[in-house]
Amino acid sequence: FAARIPAAPAADAHGEDASKWSRLPLAPREDEAYAIVSQVNYVAAGCRLFEPGEIADFGAASVASRALSLGYLWDNVRVAGGAYGGGCALNPTSGGFAFSSYRDPNLQATLDIYAAAADALSESDISAEALEQAIVGMVGDLDKPLTPDQKGQRALNWHLTGVTTAMRQEFRDQVLGCSPEAFRAFAERLRKAKLSVSVFGSEEALAAANAKRETPLPVKKIV
């Protein structure tokens, strides 16, 4: 395995030539719903928030995404909604962003929470103390202890994707420089994005959700 690892990452892994990744054949961006035998649901929605090769403040966007996950989504999907797990995540490498919930008693209500996330983030009053906590939490994620195999996996990912020490430092600087304006900019970008839905739930839950939707989800029965 080690002998087959490329000696150097692709020269065009980042920058202007990275736009070639947008030409790769991908699954169509469409909603999906799968009927399963279950008393709970698994509710996801996502989009490409940043285009390949786009120059953006990914560090600040990651702080805002983390704050959204541990604040608004925690309160509404997990605490009020009763889901066993839930949140959102931004992938700075691909530009992908996704909401998700796990063992969720709700379905359409959770999708409505996702749809309102941008407004909730833009309308929230980010105090200096809350912003500092968000930044410290993000730095904690960057510097959390790793096992030897996790360190190896991370180093391999950096190598294969061409992530350099300078790029990692730039990301950290963006995190440390995050501001309330960055939260609002992230919220505005999220508001303009079109989310694609993918859910797993019982036939009854899917039917109830579709009865409330303008455009019903196409349901495929698995078992």
Side-chain angles (χ1 to χ4, degrees):
F1 170 77
R4 294 196 297 271
I5 297 176
D12 57 356
H14 300 276
E16 295 180 1
D17 290 339
S19 62
K20 74 171 189 177
W21 299 111
S22 64
R23 300 192 296 271
L24 291 176
L26 301 175
R29 298 182 184 181
E30 58 186 23
D31 294 337
E32 303 174 314
Y34 299 94
I36 60 175
V37 178
S38 176
Q39 295 181 337
V40 291
N41 309 296
Y42 303 83
V43 186
C47 63
R48 173 174 278 170
L49 209 53
F50 297 90
E51 293 301 317
E54 181 178 353
I55 304 301
D57 193 342
F58 288 111
S62 296
V63 174
S65 173
R66 185 181 186 278
L68 180 65
S69 183
L70 297 180
Y72 169 77
L73 292 172
W74 177 282
D75 292 341
N76 289 276
V77 175
R78 299 192 67 177
V79 177
Y84 187 80
C88 66
L90 170 67
N91 186 327
T93 302
S94 68
F97 176 83
F99 296 100
S100 63
S101 72
Y102 173 73
R103 296 188 61 83
D104 192 342
N106 304 301
L107 202 158
Q108 186 56 44
T110 297
L111 292 175
D112 292 340
I113 291 171
Y114 297 165
D119 290 338
L121 186 62
S122 64
E123 294 170 2
S124 61
D125 184 16
I126 307 298
S127 66
E129 181 181 1
L131 179 61
E132 181 179 4
Q133 289 178 348
I135 292 173
V136 169
M138 185 68 204
V139 172
D141 286 349
L142 295 176
D143 295 340
K144 63 183 178 182
L146 300 175
T147 62
D149 62 312
Q150 289 174 327
K151 291 179 181 179
Q153 181 66 55
R154 184 180 65 177
L156 177 62
N157 291 339
W158 286 344
H159 175 76
L160 295 178
T161 56
V163 175
T164 64
T165 300
M167 294 166 64
R168 298 198 297 273
Q169 184 60 53
E170 180 183 14
F171 183 86
R172 183 180 293 268
D173 292 341
Q174 291 173 345
V175 168
L176 296 174
C178 183
S179 65
E181 289 72 23
F183 274 61
R184 289 189 284 271
F186 181 81
E188 185 60 27
R189 183 179 287 265
L190 182 58
R191 182 180 291 109
K192 295 178 180 178
K194 184 181 184 304
L195 295 173
S196 296
V197 173
S198 181
V199 298
F200 289 78
S202 67
E203 289 187 84
E204 294 78 8
L206 292 170
N210 277 339
K212 301 177 182 178
R213 296 177 59 87
E214 293 183 7
T215 304
L217 296 169
V219 179
K220 298 179 181 178
K221 188 174 181 178
I222 296 181
V223 292

